[in-house]
Amino acid sequence: APPRPAMSEAYFPVGPGLGPEENFLSLEDILMSQEKLPGRVEAAVPRLAAVLGKGAGAGQSDGVPEGSKVEIPLWLAKGLYDNKRRTLSVELPKIYKEGWRTVFSADANVVDLHKMGPYYYGFGSQLLNFDNPENPEIAQTILQTFIGRFRRIMDSSQNAYNEDTSALVARLDELERALFRAGQKGLNDFQCWEKGQASQITASSLVQNYRKRKFTDMDG
């Protein structure tokens, strides 16, 4: 029988989804879906109190009274949200409201995204699932914030050996941290190849996965 692969070879991290769609095999998306979203209960939902960890008192049902404000995990908010039945109305977290959108448009680099929300881009994209009239502005701000911060992040990742980048990394959201690590790895791999410490340059995992999907589509 062929030898079993080592654990490090058997596991391939699954990346997060894009836009309003989640990847249910992605650890990052699972963690992001636990982030709380402010909302208001518009109709009785059985057993909602138990799900939220708000055990009903003596003589009370396990529902949450209509009109109650709640902090609800994203995954549950998406499951309960229904435009027609109006079971739940969703409010924007403050970092996505107009006041903060103005701050981002002025200078996105000054914002500590990790402190405000470690999944700023992913969580903000998920908000587009809810029918909010400000969705176009939210989407535009998310895109412009990413563009505005991208160059500084990648420049710093390429100069990681010459400057202390710990303060910058601490202010990045999880997507930006992944980009920073990718930039560092690319620089390190190139320098190793330049010094003759690597026998060859190999295709990145992104390219390899793209080729696999392409061949699968052709076989289908």
Side-chain angles (χ1 to χ4, degrees):
R4 297 177 62 185
M7 289 297 293
S8 60
E9 298 176 346
Y11 173 72
F12 295 95
V14 177
L18 297 174
E21 298 300 323
E22 292 178 72
N23 188 332
F24 294 103
L25 298 178
S26 168
L27 179 58
E28 288 186 33
D29 275 356
I30 292 173
L31 294 174
M32 182 265 294
S33 71
Q34 302 296 322
E35 293 286 305
K36 298 293 182 64
L37 188 62
R40 183 188 300 271
V41 176
E42 303 292 353
V45 180
R47 297 182 292 278
L48 180 59
V51 174
L52 297 178
K54 302 177 183 293
Q60 296 180 347
S61 69
D62 59 358
V64 175
E66 294 180 23
S68 298
K69 288 190 174 183
V70 291
E71 291 281 332
I72 192 168
L74 173 65
W75 64 267
L76 182 56
K78 288 175 66 176
L80 292 176
Y81 185 78
D82 187 332
N83 262 337
K84 297 178 181 178
R85 295 179 59 191
R86 295 289 294 175
T87 303
L88 178 78
S89 60
V90 171
E91 301 175 11
L92 291 178
K94 65 178 182 178
I95 195 173
Y96 301 101
K97 291 183 177 179
E98 184 179 1
W100 272 101
R101 295 202 302 267
T102 302
V103 173
F104 281 112
S105 65
D107 186 358
N109 284 296
V110 304
V111 182
D112 185 341
L113 277 192
H114 205 269
K115 181 179 180 180
M116 300 301 294
Y119 300 98
Y120 170 76
Y121 298 106
F123 196 75
S125 298
Q126 290 294 311
L127 292 179
L128 304 180
N129 284 293
F130 306 104
D131 188 22
N132 190 301
E134 297 181 56
N135 276 358
E137 289 79 10
I138 295 172
Q140 182 68 15
T141 297
I142 291 173
L143 176 60
Q144 292 304 317
T145 297
F146 181 81
I147 293 172
R149 290 166 63 99
F150 177 80
R151 180 168 182 173
R152 183 185 179 194
I153 291 169
M154 296 311 294
D155 283 350
S156 295
S157 73
Q158 299 302 294
N159 292 291
Y161 295 111
N162 303 321
E163 61 182 63
D164 182 6
T165 58
S166 57
L168 170 67
V169 174
R171 298 165 62 86
L172 305 182
D173 106 311
E174 291 300 320
L175 172 62
E176 293 176 336
R177 289 185 177 189
L179 289 172
F180 185 89
R181 291 192 297 267
Q184 279 190 312
K185 184 178 185 304
L187 175 63
N188 186 63
D189 289 349
F190 177 74
Q191 290 183 333
C192 287
W193 176 80
E194 250 189 341
K195 297 174 183 177
Q197 296 173 354
S199 57
Q200 61 182 351
I201 295 180
T202 59
S204 72
S205 58
L206 289 175
V207 173
Q208 292 172 352
N209 289 335
Y210 172 76
R211 287 174 177 170
K212 290 178 183 177
R213 289 197 300 270
K214 187 175 181 181
F215 290 143
T216 301
D217 293 341
M218 292 173 63
D219 292 341

